[in-house]
Each structure stands twice: as C-alpha cells, then as structure tokens.
Amino acid sequence: VFFTSVTDRWAVASIAGPNSRALLGRLCSDIDLSAEAFPFMSLREGSVAGISARVFRISFSGELAFEINVSADDGVTLWESLMEAGGEYDITPYGTETMHVLRAEKGYVIVGQDTDGSVTPADLGMDWIVSKTKDFIGKRSLVRSDMLRENRKQLVGLVTEQPQKVLPEGTQLVNEPSKDYPVPMTGHVTSSYYSPILGHSIALALVKGGHSRMGASVYAPTLDGQLIEGIITSPVFYDPENRLHKT
C-alpha cells in the first residue's frame, strides 16, 4: 500500500463574519449556501470565482464562516477574487493572533496549549463525542478509576474580578488568597486574552474538579507580587447558544 500526501497541493481561504455568506454568494452560483441546505459542519463541492472548489461550513472563530479549498495553483487567484468582491463589505485579512482571541471566546481548545498528554475528552467537557457503544483503541483507559476521579483537572473559563486584568498564561492557580508559600496548586491558566467584543479579559484554565465549581473563585499569584482573583465560568464566553452557527 502506498500513501501520497497531497496537503501541499491545496490552498485554503477562510472567510468569516456576518457577511461571509453574502460574499461567497457573489462568487459561487452552483452551491446552495442557505443554512438549511448547507448546515454547520458540512461540505459541498462546486466552483468559487470560476475555480473548482471544496467548501466547508466550519468555523474556528465562532462567526458564520466558510473555508474554501482549491488547487494550490489557484490560491492567489482565489485570494484576489475574495478581496475584490469583499471590498463593499470592508473585508480585511486577519492573522493568527486575532484567531486565537476569537477561538478562545468560543472555548475552542488548541491541542498542546489547552491540553497535555493527561487530558481526556471528558476533562474538556467533550465526552459527548466519544461513542458509548463502539470499541476503539484507548477505550479501556477512559474507564479506569483514575480517569473518573472528580478532582481531575478539567477545562473551565475564567473571568477576572477586575475586568481589565489579563491573567498571564501558564500562571498557577490556588484556592485561597494567601501569599504564605507554598500554597497547594489547583490548576493553571492555559490561554488568556483581552476580549474586545466582551469588554473584559477571558482565560481558559485546567482546574481540579472545575466542572463542579462554576462561580467559585481561584487566585493567580503573579511574578510581580499581585494576587488576581478569577471566577470560574463556562469556557464558552461568546454566543454560548451557537446562534451564529444555526443561521
């Protein structure tokens, strides 16, 4: 059996935001882009700007979004067509730092940043994605007693008591506001940003027993001697009902 990677033969452009469907509709006439015909997490094939394309209705930003996949040779043509057609919508490119803020607002994890080798789908609140009926490699590990402990580190959101305070990423978290070290560690901050659309800082963290501690406080001792209070919340800060994905 021979495998050939064709990843570098594809170019991808992602368009996101409330006008993304309208913009794509100007360049694509052979795909029904309506929410009913093209729901979230689905794929359609057709043409965009006259280029054969695969279009995915997915989003790592929380907004209405489409990812357009074309041959690498057509990548520049697709980009230029999108930018020209998007002029009336004030289209603008955005980079990975912006994407990091957008995805954190939705509680989307980055594997290796918000997880490590010890984190399970249940710890992330994603046990719904694991089949309860199928057999698969690793299934036995998920039901071992250590994997089912209530005080495992679990993914939660954090908002600071002082909205403008942004928790440093990697900061260790403690349960009591004490500076008498050592203090038992209860978790750590994995991602942390200021959210312009929400008007306050947000953070993702792994906290022991975090799923059962909504509304409780933890404290982040910083290197400059501060002790910042954080309130445990859901990791989904923006559009928690996924209204934008249903439209």
Side-chain angles (χ1 to χ4, degrees), residues 140-211:
R140 184 182 65 170
S141 297
L142 295 179
V143 296
R144 293 172 67 102
S145 58
D146 188 63
M147 296 294 187
L148 302 175
R149 286 186 292 108
E150 294 183 358
N151 68 336
R152 285 182 59 82
K153 285 187 178 180
Q154 299 166 339
L155 183 76
V156 297
L158 291 178
V159 294
T160 52
E161 187 70 18
Q162 298 171 278
Q164 304 303 311
K165 288 281 188 181
V166 179
L167 294 169
E169 290 184 352
T171 299
Q172 303 298 298
L173 300 171
V174 297
N175 286 327
E176 301 295 334
S178 172
K179 292 186 179 181
D180 297 328
Y181 304 119
V183 180
M185 187 266 289
T186 193
H188 68 281
V189 177
T190 60
S191 296
S192 185
Y193 310 96
Y194 182 82
S195 169
I197 195 170
L198 298 174
H200 58 78
S201 70
I202 60 173
L204 300 177
L206 291 172
V207 174
K208 292 180 179 179
H211 291 167

Side-chain angles (χ1 to χ4, degrees), residues 102-123:
L102 293 170
R103 64 92 194 172
E105 289 171 345
K106 286 294 292 181
Y108 295 157
V109 301
I110 294 180
V111 174
Q113 177 170 328
D114 301 300
T115 72
D116 57 29
S118 69
V119 175
T120 71
D123 297 334

